[in-house]
Amino acid sequence: MPAMSESYQRLLEATIRHLEDQKAQGVKFIPVSQETLAALTSPRVCESNAASANPSRSPARPQPALPLFESEAAAPPDAGAGSPPPARDASAAPASHGATPLDPQAKQAAMAELRTRALVCEKCPHLAASRKNVVFGVGDIHSRLMFVGEAPGADEDEQGEPFVGKAGQLLTKIIQTMGFSRDTVYIANILKCRPDTPGQSAGNRKPTLEEMKTCLPYLLAQVDLIQPKVIVALGATAVEGLLGKTAGITRLRGQWQEFRGVPVMPTYHPAYLLRNQALGEKRKVWEDMLAVLERLGRPISEKQRKFFLNA
């Protein structure tokens, strides 16, 4: 079938790029399970493989509507409530870089295999020795919106899921106020392991350039498989890891960039907003999210447009 062959061709290209990255870093052998070999030689992928694409993801559960940033603010209605989204926002639409959409079953199998390899990765021995969990990523692998942070913190390392601490709770509120949920976007980090903090009982540190370079192939493969239409880069380190730019998040935020053909919106990390509660800083982040919604073709309510504007 032509559509199937195009999907597998796309997967093959992503796999070759990842293997070339591994070879450049000195990796000579990559373990592959018998189950994976059987799946790769099968014309179809079984439902059990599809169900295991994201075993770390917790079952969907009802969540109360949360306001943006602070408990006093009233959350706007769902951006899609009352009217269907425009045709260009259909989930079947191809990614903005024009790549052929992958077969969903093939994508799920490839992401599950990528996750399996990441969970046993020891390319950074000092990180592998100190981590509790590899924090691979969470959310909808078919989503058109992807959020990328820098690295897991203590809470993320404990739970094996990105953005679950205080900054993560704030990110969740932002996502919900945009009209999405954590289950309908994809969230990942440049670094899949928490940076070790020898001699420290608390706190985090910024990933080194070498650590980000070593771990980046996993994120590249995630982007190639998910094919998002927009990526939101959360903070200066995420921008540096993705784009190699060190101009500073203050100068880059709100200015569209590009990564592997995908539009990237740099914005402040939620942790920054926890430290700086100024209304003007919150408005800057919200303006970035409004730009993201516009790029995705999502309807924006007047209530959303007026968040954090001075009366």
Side-chain angles (χ1 to χ4, degrees):
M1 296 174 60
M4 182 68 76
S5 63
E6 290 178 2
S7 297
Y8 274 94
Q9 179 64 32
R10 179 70 180 167
L11 287 170
L12 179 60
E13 291 173 356
T15 301
I16 291 174
R17 283 196 295 271
H18 180 71
L19 292 175
E20 288 175 344
D21 289 334
Q22 297 287 288
K23 183 178 179 181
Q25 295 170 27
V27 177
K28 296 183 179 180
F29 302 97
I30 296 179
V32 180
S33 67
Q34 292 296 325
E35 291 81 2
T36 299
L37 289 174
L40 290 173
T41 57
S42 173
R44 293 189 62 82
V45 182
C46 66
E47 290 298 325
S48 61
N49 280 347
S52 64
N54 194 352
S56 68
R57 176 175 165 184
S58 58
R61 57 185 183 278
Q63 293 182 336
L66 294 177
L68 178 64
F69 303 173
E70 53 193 341
S71 59
E72 300 91 339
D78 186 334
S83 61
R88 59 178 173 171
D89 194 42
S91 59
S96 60
H97 46 73
T100 302
L102 300 177
D103 174 81
Q105 291 181 318
K107 180 192 288 191
Q108 289 172 325
M111 189 66 81
E113 176 63 21
L114 179 66
R115 183 180 184 277
T116 298
R117 287 190 280 108
L119 292 182
V120 297
C121 179
E122 295 186 349
K123 290 187 289 184
C124 301
H126 60 296
L127 300 185
S130 63
R131 75 190 180 206
K132 292 183 179 179
N133 286 291
V134 172
V135 183
F136 180 69
V138 69
D140 182 5
I141 66 172
H142 309 295
S143 178
R144 301 204 307 156
L145 177 57
M146 185 173 182
F147 291 83
V148 176
E150 58 178 72
D155 293 318
E156 290 74 21
D157 180 54
E158 183 71 34
Q159 299 184 39
E161 184 172 325
F163 284 93
V164 293
K166 291 183 179 179
Q169 292 167 18
L170 179 54
L171 176 62
T172 298
K173 293 178 184 178
I174 295 171
I175 290 171
Q176 291 176 335
T177 309
M178 293 174 72
F180 299 99
S181 70
R182 284 178 67 97
D183 290 336
T184 59
V185 302
Y186 196 85
I187 306 172
N189 283 312
I190 300 289
L191 210 61
K192 307 304 184 190
C193 296
R194 184 191 182 196
D196 58 338
T197 53
Q200 296 180 216
S201 59
N204 299 306
R205 70 165 175 84
K206 176 183 175 180
T208 67
L209 289 176
E210 186 61 30
E211 288 167 345
M212 290 193 288
K213 179 181 177 182
T214 301
C215 202
L216 189 59
Y218 290 116
L219 183 64
L220 299 183
Q222 286 175 308
V223 172
D224 285 344
L225 288 170
I226 295 170
Q227 297 182 1
K229 185 172 182 180
V230 173
I231 295 173
V232 176
L234 300 165
T237 303
V239 172
E240 183 177 357
L242 279 175
L243 309 174
K245 295 186 177 182
T246 58
I249 192 62
T250 301
R251 293 180 59 186
L252 291 174
R253 69 133 289 274
Q255 307 297 318
W256 284 106
Q257 308 291 320
E258 187 174 291
F259 178 73
R260 296 172 81 83
V262 182
V264 175
M265 172 56 71
T267 194
Y268 293 135
H269 194 284
Y272 169 77
L273 295 181
L274 292 177
R275 297 190 303 269
N276 189 334
Q277 295 286 325
L279 190 68
E281 298 304 284
K282 295 178 181 180
R283 178 62 193 183
K284 290 175 183 177
V285 171
W286 188 236
E287 287 175 351
D288 297 341
M289 297 306 99
L290 291 177
V292 168
L293 290 174
E294 289 176 350
R295 180 62 66 97
L296 291 172
R298 299 275 296 191
I300 303 173
S301 69
E302 282 303 307
K303 194 170 186 178
Q304 286 174 309
R305 292 190 185 279
K306 294 178 180 178
F307 261 111
F308 305 114
L309 289 177
N310 293 322

